Amino acid sequence: MTDPRTLAAPALVDDLVAVAEEVARRAGTLAHEGRPADLGVAATKTSAVDVVTAMDLASEELLRSRLAELRPDDGVLGEEGGHRAGTSGVTWVVDPIDGTVNYLYGIPAWSVSVAAVVDDDAAARGTAPSPDTWTVLAGCVHAPAEGRTYTAARGRGAHADGRPLRLAPPPPLELSLVGTGFGYLAARRRAQARVLTELLPRVRDIRRAGSAALDLCGVADGRLDLYYERGLQPWDMAAASLVVLEAGGAVRGLRGAAAGPAMTVAGAPGGVDALVALLEELGADVDDAT
Ligand code: LIP
């Protein structure tokens, strides 16, 4: 049994966040400085618009090899390479390029996301760690093209380029700037568009930046008041969810569930309560049939 309290000991989480930042910066430098002028789509996943570039693959390969050097007994769960279990109780959850479409189009809003988690339930099941049962111990979201780096260690606070982050009290929903994102499948996007149509008149405005990790970090540093998205993968949200929590925010799902693929809502606690209630009323955690 991995006691998160032991693994969350200050000395360990400080070590883990230092490793997270070191490897995220290395992969970010590779992707930012090594981006080829003729970058194209190397492969697609769930649809023709769910793309992978050669740099996604190269970034994850670098993350995995450096983590193996620094933390050889830990597991890894990555967007492109899947899950490899470890023996230490710690698993690294990595997104080599979050915001791949932005990266492909030369839009700077993309990031490398690296988190260290423990998840005894998943280990007992022999499965990859999951947002509904994991404890995130440390994380880094590094956005080299935007010149921003977010870090968080459990119980040790969240920082943006070394500056401590603390959420302000939330504005009322009608004065809130709300971030969101959309899936890659038409049936989901149709349902998401309907929810957006109902939500837009009831908030200050909407922003769709294209990187969940940077959207979540935007909540922590005040560039957004709230964020919601249906369909996030564990690697999209692992590190940035800790940044929000350590900045005093809340990260939740709907109907009492933990944040995860069904729905992720983030912001100051009172603001999250109001948005969750509205998203539940709108049935925002359901897709169209086809
Ligand atoms: C992206 C997310 C974004 C979402 C996109 C995509 P990827 O992750 O960060 O919030 O709206 O559809 O899932 O695929 O670029 O790693």
Side-chain angles (χ1 to χ4, degrees):
M1 170 72 76
T2 311
D3 180 348
R5 289 164 301 176
T6 305
L7 282 171
L12 183 63
V13 297
D14 287 347
D15 288 347
L16 293 175
V17 72
V19 169
E21 183 172 3
E22 198 257 21
V23 302
R25 284 184 179 275
R26 276 178 185 258
T29 299
L30 171 73
H32 186 47
E33 296 180 5
R35 184 184 185 280
D38 62 347
L39 181 69
V41 174
T44 60
K45 295 188 279 193
T46 61
S47 76
V49 296
D50 184 1
V51 297
V52 181
T53 74
M55 296 309 287
D56 290 85
L57 301 174
S59 173
E60 184 159 331
E61 183 180 344
L62 186 154
L63 288 168
R64 286 176 181 267
S65 63
R66 187 60 180 152
L67 286 168
E69 289 172 16
L70 296 174
R71 299 276 309 182
D73 298 330
D74 295 354
V76 181
L77 169 62
E79 177 168 14
E80 312 307 341
H83 179 230
R84 177 184 57 73
T87 57
S88 69
V90 174
T91 299
W92 294 92
V93 183
V94 302
D95 193 336
I97 296 178
D98 184 61
T100 295
V101 173
N102 285 348
Y103 181 77
L104 179 66
Y105 279 76
I107 299 169
W110 60 270
S111 59
V112 177
S113 179
V114 179
V117 308
V118 291
D119 188 339
D120 284 326
D121 291 353
R125 295 192 303 268
T127 62
S130 165
D132 55 348
T133 49
W134 71 28
T135 299
V136 185
L137 299 182
C140 177
V141 176
H142 177 53
E146 289 196 339
R148 301 176 196 269
T149 304
Y150 298 88
T151 55
R154 188 173 184 81
R156 309 283 274 172
H159 295 80
D161 301 311
R163 170 177 50 87
L165 295 175
R166 200 75 199 156
L167 263 68
L173 190 59
E174 60 271 20
L175 296 180
S176 293
L177 186 63
V178 180
T180 192
F182 308 117
Y184 289 121
L185 296 172
R188 173 161 293 178
R189 292 167 78 94
R190 204 175 292 112
Q192 289 174 319
R194 263 204 314 284
V195 170
L196 190 61
T197 300
E198 292 298 326
L199 187 68
L200 184 55
R202 304 192 208 191
V203 298
R204 177 188 293 276
D205 206 344
I206 293 287
R207 294 289 184 272
R208 197 284 196 250
S211 165
L214 287 181
D215 285 335
L216 286 161
C217 289
V219 166
D221 75 2
R223 290 183 292 116
L224 290 171
D225 294 308
L226 290 164
Y227 166 73
Y228 77 97
E229 184 162 353
R230 173 169 169 72
L232 293 192
Q233 297 296 334
W235 40 81
D236 293 326
M237 60 181 289
S241 62
L242 185 64
V243 174
V244 174
L245 293 172
E246 287 294 321
V251 184
R252 289 174 34 199
L254 302 191
R255 314 182 203 289
M263 181 59 72
T264 294
V265 185
V272 168
D273 292 341
L275 183 54
V276 162
L278 179 53
L279 292 172
E280 289 173 348
E281 177 191 322
L282 298 174
D285 51 350
V286 178
D287 297 336
D288 280 6
T290 55

